Amino acid sequence: MAEIAIKIDDQEERFPEAVTVAEALKSLMSGKQRKQTIAVYANTQAVDLHTELVEDTVIVPIKKDSPEGLEILRHSTSHIMAQAVRELFGNDVKIAIGPAIENGFYYDFLRDAPFSPEDFELIEKKMAQIAGQALPFSHRYIPRVEAIEMFREQGEKYKVELLEEIEDDTVSIYQQGSFVDLCRGPHIPDTSWVRDFKLLRVAGAYWRGDENNDVLQRIYGTVFFDKKALKKHLNDLEEAKKRDHRRLGKDLQLFTINDQIGPGLILWQPKGSLLRRLIEDYWKDEHYRHDYELLYTPHIARQDLWNTSGHLDFYSENMYASMEIDEVKYQLKPMNCPFHIGVYKSNKRSYREFPIRWAELGTVYRYERAGALHGLLRVRGFTQDDAHIFCREDQLEEEIFNILDLNLLILKRFGFEDYDVYLSTRPEKSVGSEEIWEKSTAALKQALEKKGLGFELDPGEGVFYGPKIDIKIKDQLGRSWQCSTIQVDFNLPDRFDMTYTGADNRDHQPIMIHRALMGSLERFVGVLIEHYAGAFPIWFAPVQARILNITDDQAAYSEKVYKQLRKAGVRVEKDLRNEKLNYKIREAQMAKIPYMLIVGEKEKSDTTVTVRLRDGKNLPPMSIDEFAAKIEEESRQGRGI
């Protein structure tokens, strides 16, 4: 019998051809190591432990505590959930797809009746029974035509549709017990590995994401290798519910969305508008200190502009339909960059002017499907903290350094010091030569490396005109949020025939850098709400203090305190209702007010206020001027002044 060489790390042994991974591991690994191994990479391909090896193979174990191991567990659990649903509700339920996702898994089903909480209990119980049977996940390849016939007999139209689009003659099938699914794998060895799981919720989902297709029911769940990790995740989900910016935005009277006006369009209430203004004022001041100039540009432009920029060719699905004005077609802007180019081209430019740094809080409009809209995080009209830098090639690296420094400074000021950095490369739909793309990508990569910032490659996720750096910030719960982006662009300067006069008195083409540090202001505010659970730091809290009188006898003095603090620049409210003090304190705490200024007879007599923090702690009484000075100092420190 022929033999093959199998190697793990520095250990290599020879085995009979067609040995399974599990059999080889018995010789190559200790029992303790095998218990931690859920699957392996065999010559870089992820495979199950029961896979037969037929050639010399280098094995890299996939451990339970790895992201890849957790993904395999979750994918396998989605199959177990689909099996449970099938066994409970019969063939009247049609199954679609069930992948692993971040923090869990889902499976899509077509069923006439909605899944209820009682159904969830039944499904979880059945899943536990299936897990207890230790059913092996068996893998085989069968002819595609045979698979089509098999799923057609089962009435699984979604599987048939997928199979009819596959060009291969054979397809990959997995089976545990009586349940068969179309799947590439890999999977866990058997169902007994699934113990600590929880079904979370059900939501509607269009088949293949197309609103013209069937509406399916998507059951979400999560699973971990141990109860402790599952418990922590469920606790985090409960904490996330408490921090949900949509609920807090309503409770704190920050913003609203009105269907009569339109989904995905934000109405900022007075307190939310003040919060936004504080953020914008800080942003403007910081940009002034970093040698930027501000621009303002229109909300619409001739359609021809978007032809020149390439947006109609590469971005039209995200743009709103054109409108006709004086027999000329115009469109709402999805981006600000062509307008900044228009400002650039309004004058002849010299190399001596560079770098030119222009920033704008520019409102743009992009089409999002109704099902994708989500509070402030996914909207149809939003304001970008946009900027464009025009520079010479010899200035490019320093400008990227400057952007990164300003980016991390602003994020830190708002309380974000934990983040992941990604370098996104050329997408399938793009403009420009390969040489230009390589040059742009290399410039970003070199800047990150010289700056000492670790990053991951994100292949194919660049924008159509250039590669980009993405910075994903992490909030208090460790969740990642896409905000900052930096893009090097050689293409738009070429498409718009941008030039400058060089030292040689000849025309040259500038380099254009696109960047947004907070990204969308709407999204950034949504992240801030969830990060701080609505309890904002004093420097950008919309309301810094609320005055609470004990009885009506202090109403006049409270009015005096209110006017004096307003004059001093403190963002203050007053609650002079004829209510019990504890009730008013509780309401102020619910409103996340940083300071409560309690006014009784003693305070009135001494012309002071008693200061109570939102966490319940009390400070010694202080004069109105002392409190105003305290707020000013805290605000200065928060802004980094």
Side-chain angles (χ1 to χ4, degrees):
M1 181 180 290
E3 290 189 341
I4 57 174
I6 300 178
K7 183 178 180 181
I8 296 180
D9 296 327
D10 295 330
Q11 187 177 354
E12 180 178 313
E13 290 189 24
R14 301 193 68 81
F15 295 88
E17 188 181 41
V19 65
T20 67
V21 173
E23 290 169 343
L25 294 185
K26 286 181 181 178
S27 179
L28 291 166
M29 297 175 71
S30 67
K32 184 177 180 180
Q33 290 175 317
R34 291 201 309 276
K35 286 181 180 179
Q36 297 301 312
T37 303
I38 193 169
V40 301
Y41 289 108
N43 292 339
T44 73
Q45 181 180 355
V47 300
D48 311 295
L49 297 184
H50 61 250
T51 300
E52 293 184 346
L53 303 176
V54 295
E55 61 181 357
D56 292 349
T57 306
V58 175
I59 285 179
V60 177
I62 299 176
K63 299 294 184 67
K64 288 168 58 176
D65 59 0
S66 69
E68 297 86 352
L70 197 52
E71 181 179 358
I72 291 170
L73 176 71
R74 288 170 172 167
H75 187 189
S76 301
T77 308
S78 77
H79 281 231
I80 294 174
M81 179 175 71
Q83 179 184 354
V85 169
R86 169 60 58 74
E87 292 185 4
L88 285 168
F89 303 105
N91 291 335
D92 289 340
V93 176
K94 305 305 175 189
I95 63 173
I97 58 172
I101 57 174
E102 184 179 8
N103 294 322
F105 60 89
Y106 70 78
Y107 215 111
D108 289 343
F109 303 96
L110 181 68
R111 183 187 182 215
D112 291 337
F115 287 105
S116 67
E118 292 76 17
D119 291 333
F120 270 33
E121 292 179 14
L122 292 173
I123 296 168
E124 287 180 339
K125 185 176 179 181
K126 176 60 72 173
M127 289 173 68
Q129 291 175 356
I130 293 170
Q133 295 172 27
L135 301 173
F137 277 83
S138 61
H139 182 212
R140 67 184 189 276
Y141 290 93
I142 64 174
R144 184 175 68 92
V145 292
E146 182 182 327
I148 290 175
E149 186 60 31
M150 177 182 66
F151 284 112
R152 185 171 282 141
E153 287 179 1
Q154 296 177 5
E156 297 295 357
K157 62 178 183 177
Y158 304 115
K159 301 296 182 184
V160 171
E161 181 179 326
L162 294 172
L163 283 162
E164 287 177 340
E165 296 177 1
I166 295 175
E167 297 180 357
D168 296 339
D169 292 333
T170 59
V171 294
S172 175
I173 296 292
Y174 272 87
Q175 180 170 354
Q176 79 273 7
S178 61
F179 182 76
V180 183
D181 206 351
L182 175 68
C183 185
R184 292 192 184 94
H187 283 285
I188 54 180
D190 63 66
T191 60
S192 68
W193 288 63
V194 174
R195 293 186 296 271
D196 302 302
F197 63 90
K198 181 70 177 174
L199 301 188
L200 301 173
R201 61 189 175 92
V202 63
Y206 293 112
W207 167 236
R208 309 189 86 169
D210 188 336
E211 59 192 14
N212 297 312
N213 289 339
D214 294 339
V215 179
L216 308 177
Q217 295 186 68
R218 176 170 293 176
I219 297 180
Y220 287 93
T222 192
V223 63
F224 290 87
F225 283 107
D226 63 83
K227 281 185 172 63
K228 186 177 179 181
L230 175 63
K231 183 178 180 181
K232 180 183 181 304
H233 179 70
L234 295 178
N235 287 339
D236 286 347
L237 290 178
E238 285 302 310
E239 182 61 27
K241 286 181 184 178
K242 296 175 186 176
R243 293 170 178 261
D244 190 319
H245 77 281
R246 294 167 297 179
R247 181 181 66 80
L248 288 172
K250 180 180 179 181
D251 292 346
L252 303 180
Q253 299 177 358
L254 299 176
F255 71 93
T256 189
I257 300 171
N258 187 314
D259 282 341
Q260 189 175 18
I261 291 170
L265 302 173
I266 304 302
L267 300 176
W268 293 93
Q269 298 198 40
K271 288 179 183 176
S273 298
L274 181 52
L275 169 63
R276 175 169 166 162
R277 181 175 71 79
L278 292 164
I279 294 170
E280 290 180 359
D281 287 350
Y282 166 75
W283 182 91
K284 290 174 184 177
D285 291 345
E286 207 60 70
H287 278 71
Y288 182 79
R289 283 194 284 270
H290 284 78
D291 206 20
Y292 282 77
E293 296 175 297
L294 295 182
L295 299 182
Y296 293 93
T297 60
H299 290 233
I300 62 172
R302 289 174 181 261
Q303 192 179 67
D304 287 347
L305 180 75
W306 309 111
N307 271 319
T308 303
S309 69
H311 284 88
L312 285 178
D313 290 330
F314 297 94
Y315 204 73
S316 59
E317 68 274 13
N318 299 104
M319 297 175 67
Y320 284 98
S322 63
M323 63 189 87
E324 195 165 294
I325 304 173
D326 297 333
E327 299 182 352
V328 176
K329 287 187 175 180
Y330 285 75
Q331 285 191 274
L332 283 166
K333 65 176 179 180
M335 296 185 185
N336 300 300
C337 32
F339 296 89
H340 291 199
I341 292 172
V343 177
Y344 179 95
K345 294 191 70 174
S346 65
N347 289 302
K348 182 68 176 175
R349 305 293 174 179
S350 164
Y351 75 97
R352 297 179 186 275
E353 296 178 63
F354 290 160
I356 297 172
R357 305 184 186 100
W358 289 334
E360 177 184 11
L361 292 168
T363 300
V364 299
Y365 303 89
R366 299 178 188 175
Y367 173 68
E368 293 281 0
R369 292 180 182 274
L373 298 175
H374 185 78
L376 294 174
L377 304 180
R378 204 72 178 265
V379 294
R380 288 175 171 168
F382 58 92
T383 301
Q384 283 186 303
D385 71 316
D386 218 348
H388 296 93
I389 293 91
F390 303 96
C391 64
R392 305 187 306 267
E393 190 167 342
D394 62 290
Q395 298 170 317
L396 178 60
E397 185 176 280
E398 184 178 359
E399 286 307 302
I400 297 174
F401 283 176
N402 291 339
I403 293 168
L404 287 168
D405 285 342
L406 178 58
N407 200 159
L408 300 182
L409 169 67
I410 288 178
L411 292 179
K412 182 179 180 180
R413 195 65 66 209
F414 284 101
F416 300 108
E417 299 189 57
D418 192 8
Y419 46 79
D420 293 318
V421 181
Y422 296 86
L423 176 58
S424 302
T425 59
R426 186 172 191 168
E428 288 185 15
K429 293 177 64 177
S430 60
V431 296
S433 67
E434 193 64 37
E435 179 186 357
I436 285 176
W437 273 87
E438 289 178 1
K439 195 174 186 179
S440 304
T441 306
L444 291 174
K445 182 173 183 288
Q446 188 174 13
L448 287 171
E449 289 173 343
K450 287 190 175 181
K451 204 68 180 170
L453 289 172
F455 64 92
E456 293 182 35
L457 280 177
D458 200 359
E461 292 302 315
V463 288
F464 70 87
Y465 50 76
K468 61 177 179 170
I469 293 170
D470 286 327
I471 299 178
K472 297 183 180 181
I473 57 178
K474 292 187 178 180
D475 67 10
Q476 288 280 9
L477 299 182
R479 299 173 298 178
S480 292
W481 305 91
Q482 171 62 55
C483 289
S484 311
T485 184
I486 304 167
Q487 305 159 5
V488 173
D489 184 1
F490 288 83
N491 285 303
L492 287 185
D494 181 54
R495 293 175 78 96
F496 280 93
D497 193 26
M498 298 173 67
T499 61
Y500 68 90
T501 302
D504 57 4
N505 213 32
R506 295 181 179 179
D507 281 347
H508 298 268
Q509 184 175 288
I511 297 173
M512 183 177 184
I513 306 173
H514 310 245
R515 48 114 287 201
L517 308 184
M518 295 184 290
S520 150
L521 254 66
E522 284 74 7
R523 181 179 179 82
F524 192 71
V525 170
V527 174
L528 282 174
I529 293 170
E530 301 212 2
H531 181 61
Y532 288 105
F536 302 117
I538 197 72
W539 75 270
F540 64 87
V543 180
Q544 295 171 318
R546 181 180 287 181
I547 301 166
L548 312 176
N549 63 322
I550 295 177
T551 70
D552 286 343
D553 292 339
Q554 300 92 44
Y557 175 66
S558 297
E559 288 282 4
K560 180 183 176 182
V561 173
Y562 173 77
K563 290 177 181 178
Q564 190 170 334
L565 288 176
R566 293 274 290 194
K567 190 174 181 179
V570 178
R571 299 187 292 277
V572 62
E573 288 182 342
K574 54 189 176 182
D575 184 353
L576 307 183
R577 295 173 298 166
N578 186 19
E579 298 283 356
K580 290 183 178 180
L581 179 62
N582 285 341
Y583 176 79
K584 293 199 282 190
I585 288 174
R586 187 165 60 252
E587 285 212 332
Q589 288 176 320
M590 294 283 289
K592 316 285 186 177
I593 308 296
Y595 291 106
M596 285 152 272
L597 306 182
I598 298 170
V599 176
E601 279 303 305
K602 180 170 175 46
E603 288 80 14
K604 175 182 172 182
S605 174
D606 297 342
T607 63
T608 61
V609 290
T610 292
V611 182
R612 182 185 177 94
L613 281 64
R614 60 186 160 203
D615 64 4
K617 295 178 182 177
N618 289 313
L619 300 180
M622 60 184 73
S623 70
I624 302 169
D625 288 341
E626 285 175 326
F627 180 75
K630 173 180 174 58
I631 293 295
E632 182 181 3
E633 179 58 26
E634 283 191 44
S635 297
R636 285 171 56 85
Q637 289 180 4
R639 287 171 59 93
I641 298 174

